[in-house]
Amino acid sequence: MDMLINGTAVPATDEARIKVINPATGECIDTVPRGSGTDVNAAVDAADAAFGTWSEKTTRDRGLILFRAAELVRRDHKDLARLLTQEQGKPLKESIDEVRGCANILEYYASISGQPAGEAVHLGKAGDCLVTRVPLGVCGAIIPWNMPVIIMGWKLGPALLAGNTLVLKPASTTPLTNLRIAGLLQEAGLPHGVLNVVTGPGETVGAALVKHPRVKKISFTGDCATGHRIRQMAKDHLKTLTLELGGSDPMIVMADADISKAVDGALRGRFYNAGQVCTAVKRLYLHEKIAEEFMHLLIARVESLTIGNGLLPATDMGPLNNREQLERISSLVREVAEQEEGTISTGGSPKTGSAYKDGFFYQPTLITDVAPDAALLKNEVFGPVLPVMTVPDLSAAIREANRSRYGLGASIWTRDISTIKEVYQRVNAGIVWVNRHLTIPPEVPFGGTNESGIGRENGFHALDSYTQTKTLYLGW
Ligand code: NDP
């Protein structure tokens, strides 16, 4: 597939291409252009030229295009999901969820197209002010490989509804479904230049987008270290930033919890998308009274997961997205064993066997007796590895949950309202779930505190973040 600039499919200026590898088989399924700074400049020029007409449309007209795009994504959801599984690795059922989720987001923003609302301020004899919300201009969106379709929706729904134009850079391992969806937006009637997609390495294409003086905002999802780099690069032009930098979400299970429901929650919370989710359960804290029973059930469930190519209907968990991730996870768990920082209860190594030999498969892994300063508690573990700790009471659970530089999500599993209140008030997180984990509806703001980033995706908060106020002062 080629890039999309000004409504036209564009190969790279120097004809170089990036191979897109199926992580289940190691096979090359397609190639995309290795774009460059020149391509970014062309895309920003196209977005800049399209801005005037697009921003002058009514939000209702823009919303109608998003509605149509949502319908087209639903129409093609099976093909899109298959493509997503082939480039990303996740089971087909998860890809279908994700593609439908993207359609839901586009539809949600279309449905609030009476917004963003302004305000009128009466100043007595001094006059009246009319405060409107206007778009920022050309925005940049940098997409990761773990949930590329839903994250594309989170960024382009509010950005386009608010009247901005966009240059989007997909992750180099998962550009195909993003390009296909960009094509559907054109089919839905999006004018040329409003959405441009430039493929290529983050270090060149991503950096050129961040540094471009005419790009007013960057919305980035990915690694914490990359987020810090982007913040440095963006500071010369005073850009607005939304940075969603991952997390190390704690899940706390108290003695009064519904254990069977909580085991389901831990399983899905950690092993969905092979653990490659920013709000995955990354640390599990069990009250000591139920820890043994819980682990007995959880180990059995983990060991019964079917690992395989995401296109096979029986697959519960696919491969990791790329070889670097497989190596990162493998070395992290090896280190736990070598440094005696925990006990591997199940899993603990890449999946072996002829069905797995060319892919990037890792076994779902549970680690107990984890040392308090182990690397897997300090860093974001982006794979199917779950450290499990036992706590004597709620205070200890909250103290341990807060021993993290991140603060994205957290969940409490209990039937007790005072426990819920205490966790909600004391745990550092942008979202606290009760008796569930992972769900992120388009209507509510999503984002974290501390090293989990700045700004919010979704809801009116994201829409506001793609606008600025402009005031008309009427001095009668
Ligand atoms: P990155 O942060 O490097 O990649 C995310 C996106 O940023 C990709 O589109 C990437 O492009 C782009 N990018 C990379 N470098 C730059 C740069 N200098 N300027 C602008 N854009 C850039 O993550 P990785 O793929 O390297 O994954 C590493 C770790 O990050 C994972 O192990 C995980 O811990 C974390 N991560 C967290 C995610 C989350 O949702 N919380 C999502 C993805 C990763 P390209 O693909 O071309 O490199």
Side-chain angles (χ1 to χ4, degrees):
M1 272 189 224
D2 284 337
M3 298 184 282
L4 181 75
I5 300 178
N6 206 15
T8 309
V10 177
T13 36
D14 62 1
E15 295 298 320
R17 304 200 59 97
I18 296 174
K19 287 182 178 170
V20 182
I21 303 296
N22 181 336
T25 61
E27 286 163 357
C28 172
I29 50 170
D30 203 345
T31 63
V32 291
R34 184 179 293 276
S36 64
T38 310
D39 299 305
V40 171
N41 291 343
V44 173
D45 287 347
D48 210 4
F51 177 68
T53 318
W54 179 244
S55 60
E56 282 166 11
K57 281 186 185 294
T58 63
T59 47
R60 189 167 174 280
D61 283 344
R62 293 193 292 261
L64 279 174
I65 292 175
L66 294 182
F67 255 133
R68 264 183 248 131
E71 278 170 12
L72 296 178
V73 170
R74 285 208 186 93
R75 181 196 70 190
D76 290 358
H77 78 273
K78 285 190 184 148
D79 288 347
L80 291 166
R82 217 180 144 75
L83 185 61
L84 178 59
T85 288
Q86 284 173 314
E87 65 176 341
Q88 203 281 339
K90 62 185 68 185
L92 202 50
K93 53 195 170 215
E94 294 183 14
S95 291
I96 288 175
D97 281 354
E98 185 171 342
V99 169
R100 286 192 176 138
C102 177
N104 292 345
I105 290 161
L106 299 180
E107 195 173 71
Y108 163 71
Y109 279 104
S111 76
I112 58 168
S113 62
Q115 308 290 338
E119 56 190 294
V121 182
H122 178 53
L123 299 171
K125 285 187 183 156
D128 287 287
C129 287
L130 182 64
V131 184
T132 60
R133 284 203 162 265
V134 295
L136 302 173
V138 179
C139 297
I142 301 178
I143 310 292
W145 43 261
N146 61 325
M147 311 278 292
V149 169
I150 205 107
I151 293 172
M152 179 185 193
W154 286 352
K155 297 189 192 307
L156 66 78
L160 297 185
L161 184 71
N164 302 282
T165 54
L166 261 187
V167 178
L168 184 139
K169 194 211 94 64
S172 292
T173 56
T174 55
L176 302 176
T177 327
N178 284 170
L179 280 162
R180 198 62 79 69
I181 291 174
L184 292 178
L185 275 129
Q186 305 289 304
E187 191 182 333
L190 197 71
H192 289 180
V194 173
L195 171 63
N196 308 273
V197 182
V198 182
T199 52
E203 296 294 336
T204 51
V205 167
L209 186 58
V210 174
K211 288 182 194 159
H212 199 295
R214 270 179 291 142
V215 174
K216 303 292 185 195
K217 170 177 171 124
I218 291 289
S219 180
F220 164 81
T221 302
D223 193 29
C224 200
T226 314
H228 279 281
R229 232 174 298 145
I230 285 176
R231 202 170 184 187
Q232 283 301 315
M233 288 191 281
K235 74 179 188 323
D236 290 345
H237 300 289
L238 297 176
K239 286 180 207 303
T240 309
L241 291 179
T242 296
L243 301 175
E244 204 274 88
L245 308 181
S248 181
D249 286 14
M251 167 173 173
I252 301 171
V253 186
M254 297 309 290
D256 67 336
D258 176 335
I259 300 299
S260 150
K261 198 170 162 190
V263 168
D264 283 349
L267 194 77
R268 181 179 142 81
R270 177 69 277 198
F271 301 106
Y272 190 83
N273 195 16
Q276 304 164 116
V277 183
C278 45
T279 55
V281 173
K282 302 209 176 98
R283 296 173 290 146
L284 176 60
Y285 294 99
L286 301 177
H287 191 281
E288 59 189 14
K289 281 193 191 147
I290 46 96
E292 200 180 322
E293 178 194 355
F294 193 102
M295 284 308 285
H296 179 71
L297 294 170
L298 184 61
I299 290 172
R301 294 286 299 280
V302 167
E303 290 179 348
S304 69
L305 289 173
T306 303
I307 318 302
N309 187 326
L311 291 180
L312 300 173
T315 296
D316 295 314
M317 194 182 98
L320 297 177
N321 172 252
N322 54 70
R323 189 169 297 288
E324 289 71 32
Q325 280 308 116
L326 179 63
E327 280 162 10
R328 214 170 263 156
I329 293 298
S330 304
S331 86
L332 190 85
V333 177
R334 245 191 341 260
E335 203 177 297
V336 169
E338 282 164 13
Q339 315 270 325
E340 298 183 354
E341 287 183 333
T343 306
I344 293 163
S345 301
T346 186
S349 58
K351 190 93 180 136
T352 51
S354 59
Y356 307 107
K357 69 179 176 26
D358 298 318
F360 313 134
F361 293 94
Y362 199 85
Q363 295 187 75
T365 298
L366 297 174
I367 303 182
T368 52
D369 309 319
V370 185
D373 289 321
L376 84 163
L377 297 184
K378 284 196 206 145
N379 301 318
E380 178 174 44
V381 178
F382 221 59
V385 177
L386 181 59
V388 187
M389 284 68 61
T390 303
V391 284
D393 53 34
L394 183 62
S395 297
I398 294 174
R399 194 176 55 243
E400 292 305 311
N402 282 338
R403 264 169 44 95
S404 169
R405 63 193 173 113
Y406 294 102
L408 191 56
S411 64
I412 173 69
W413 299 71
T414 181
R415 294 178 165 100
D416 179 42
I417 189 73
S418 59
T419 302
I420 295 168
K421 182 175 162 220
E422 208 169 332
V423 169
Y424 182 63
Q425 289 177 342
R426 290 179 50 205
V427 169
N428 300 326
I431 181 165
V432 175
W433 289 279
V434 178
N435 298 327
R436 68 192 307 156
H437 202 111
L438 269 192
T439 323
I440 304 169
E443 296 87 349
V444 300
F446 169 69
T449 173
N450 301 337
E451 291 283 300
S452 286
I454 48 176
R456 294 289 180 263
E457 310 262 26
N458 289 350
F460 284 100
H461 291 73
L463 190 59
D464 279 356
S465 79
Y466 284 97
T467 67
Q468 57 197 336
T469 61
K470 186 166 183 181
T471 302
L472 179 67
Y473 192 133
L474 300 160
W476 303 118

